[in-house]
Amino acid sequence: MSRDHLVATIRQQADACGQLGSPLYRDLLDRVAGDVAAGGPAARVLAGHEDDPGPSGLALRLTGTVHRLVLAGEAPTLAVHYPSAGGTPGRPAEVWAAFRAVLEDHPAAVRRRLDQPPQTNEVGRAAALLGGLLHVAARFDQPVRLLELGASGGLNLRADRFRYEHVDGSAWGPPDSPVVLHDAWRGPSPPLHAALRVMERRGTDVAPLDPATPEGALTLLSYVWPDQLERLRRLRGALTVAAEVPATLVRASARAAVESLQLVDGRTTVVWHSVMWQYLENAERAAVLRRLDELGSEATRDRPLAHLALEPRRPARAAPHEFMLTLQTWPGEVEVVLGIAQPHGPPVDWRPAG
Ligand SMILES: C[S@@+](CC[C@H](N)C(=O)[O-])C[C@H]1O[C@@H](n2cnc3c(N)ncnc32)[C@H](O)[C@@H]1O
C-alpha cells in the first residue's frame, strides 16, 4: 500500500472541494496530489500517512493546518492568495508555489497537527435547526432547554441569536445580529410567529472546542475553506455572539449525555444534533435512541421532549444522501421530515407538511 493510495484519496478530496464550491482547494489539492506522486515536499510532510483511510480526511487535515499558519500570520506569502486573510487567489501555479513553500519552511509545524481530525462547527446549519426549533415552540408553548450532541464549539446553541432571511422577504431573529443567514429557507417558512424562549444551552462533544479562546477560535476558522467567505463571515459572527451569550459545553459522548438527561416540568427539552451521527458506533446510536424513547415515555404536555436531527440520510435504499431535518416529539407523532438542507446549511427546502 502506498503512495498511489494517498494520491488517489487527495485527488478525490480535490474533486469534492470543487463540487462543494472551493476552486482554491480543488486546484491546490490537485497539485498536492501531483507533488506526492513526484516525491516532493508534500510527500515528505505526509510520510507515514500513506495508508490512512480515505474517511480520515488527511487532505483536509493538511489544508486546515496550513490555513491555520496563514491565519496566525506565519505564512504571509500564501496569505496574499487566501481570501480568508484578505488576499485574492492568483493563478493556480502561483498559489501552489506559495503553498509548497509553506510545506518546505514549516514541515514540523504541519506534521505536528496532521494527527488531529478536522474540527468544524458549521453555523449555516442553524438555518435548519432553528427552523425546527420554531416548530417545537409552536407546538409546546413554554421555555426551551437545549441539549446539543456533538456540539463542537457549541456555536449553534446560540441559534436564536442569529438572523434568518427568507427569499420571500420575511425574516426572523435580531436585525442587528452579527450572524445573518441569507436565503435560509425556501418554500414555506417555518412558523415564524412561534414564541421561542431558550432558557438553557448545553452542549456535549467528545472533543469540545472553547470558541472563547483564541486557540479554539483559530482551530474552528482554520478548517473552513479560505475561499468560502460566506461561511467564514457566519463563523466570525457566531464567535462574536458566543462571547456575549454563554452556553455550557462539556466533554462527554452523546450516549453519556442522554443517559444523565432528565425532563423538567414547565420546560420543553430539545435534544438536537447535526452531522455527527455518522461518527457514532451502532451500539451508541441504539443507546441514544433507546434513552430518548425511555424519556419520551415519561413526557407529558407539561414536560415534553423533542429530538431534532440534521443528518445525511438516504431517502431510499439506493438514493444519494440528503441532509434531512427530522423531528420527533413526545407526546406527539412519529418522526417527520421538516426539510432538506445543503451540507453547510442554507438554503433549506422546507416541506409543506413540516
Ligand atoms: C462534523 S462535526 C459537526 C459539529 C456540529 N454539530 C456542526 O454541525 O457543526 C462532528 C462532531 O461530532 C463530535 N463527535 C464525534 N463522536 C462523538 C460522540 N460519540 N459523542 C459526541 N460527539 C461526538 C466530534 O467531536 C465533532 O465535534
Side-chain angles (χ1 to χ4, degrees):
M1 292 276 297
S2 60
R3 207 174 257 184
D4 290 351
H5 168 76
L6 183 53
V7 170
T9 55
I10 297 171
R11 288 230 154 91
Q12 274 167 16
Q13 187 61 58
D15 289 345
C17 287
Q19 282 159 21
L20 288 169
S22 177
L24 181 75
Y25 272 5
R26 179 199 57 209
D27 292 345
L28 260 180
L29 284 174
D30 223 33
R31 284 170 164 77
V32 169
D35 192 62
V36 169
R44 289 192 286 282
V45 161
L46 297 176
H49 290 273
E50 286 81 355
D51 294 329
D52 281 14
S56 76
L58 181 64
L60 294 181
R61 295 177 194 219
L62 175 69
T63 50
T65 303
V66 172
H67 192 196
R68 188 186 181 91
L69 293 170
V70 168
L71 293 170
E74 290 171 42
T77 322
L78 183 57
V80 300
H81 299 289
Y82 272 31
S84 55
T88 306
R91 285 184 293 115
E94 293 166 351
V95 186
W96 163 241
F99 189 95
R100 182 189 156 113
V102 175
L103 301 184
E104 283 169 331
D105 295 345
H106 302 274
V110 175
R111 279 185 68 78
R112 205 169 39 244
R113 290 199 163 262
L114 285 180
D115 289 330
Q116 295 186 6
Q119 181 72 318
T120 53
N121 199 177
E122 201 58 55
V123 176
R125 293 183 188 138
L129 294 171
L130 187 279
L133 198 56
L134 289 174
H135 277 274
V136 175
R139 190 163 308 166
F140 305 109
D141 181 19
Q142 53 192 359
V144 164
R145 306 159 69 211
L146 269 183
L147 170 64
E148 179 165 7
L149 310 177
S152 182
L155 297 175
N156 287 337
L157 286 165
R158 288 85 167 182
D160 58 322
R161 303 301 176 98
F162 306 162
R163 175 88 172 163
Y164 303 83
E165 295 177 350
H166 192 292
V167 275
D168 68 7
S170 60
W172 190 94
D176 59 347
S177 174
V179 180
V180 181
L181 282 88
H182 306 285
D183 196 7
W185 305 307
R186 297 221 178 143
S189 293
L192 303 182
H193 62 275
L196 176 61
R197 288 155 290 159
V198 179
M199 305 298 282
E200 198 181 314
R201 306 163 198 274
R202 190 175 172 79
T204 68
D205 198 290
V206 287
L209 276 176
D210 184 351
T213 62
E215 172 70 19
L218 185 58
T219 299
L220 288 171
L221 287 164
S222 66
Y223 291 111
V224 177
W225 304 346
D227 51 346
Q228 298 205 322
L229 287 177
E230 190 59 27
R231 287 175 69 203
L232 281 160
R233 252 194 297 275
R234 293 197 291 249
L235 177 54
R236 288 187 167 124
L239 291 170
T240 304
V241 175
E244 292 159 5
V245 181
T248 306
L249 203 52
V250 295
R251 185 180 300 271
S253 69
R255 179 183 194 152
V258 293
E259 270 169 4
S260 60
L261 182 66
Q262 298 294 337
L263 303 183
V264 173
D265 287 342
R267 297 278 187 271
T268 302
T269 301
V270 178
V271 176
W272 84 17
H273 49 88
S274 59
V275 196
M276 59 79 70
W277 201 245
Q278 69 216 70
Y279 301 102
L280 307 192
E281 303 282 345
N282 283 340
E284 184 171 12
R285 291 181 187 177
V288 170
L289 295 178
R290 217 172 23 246
R291 176 65 183 149
L292 290 177
D293 265 338
E294 199 173 278
L295 284 168
S297 68
E298 300 164 12
T300 63
R301 278 205 73 83
D302 187 45
R303 48 176 196 168
L305 171 68
H307 179 200
L308 200 49
L310 173 65
E311 298 291 344
R313 286 167 65 165
R314 293 183 198 277
R317 190 182 282 263
H321 283 104
E322 291 182 344
F323 285 77
M324 238 181 244
L325 178 70
T326 55
L327 171 66
Q328 183 163 11
T329 57
W330 296 262
E333 80 285 5
V334 292
E335 180 185 85
V336 290
V337 178
L338 295 180
I340 306 295
Q342 302 306 309
H344 297 139
V348 184
D349 279 317
W350 221 259
R351 293 269 170 98

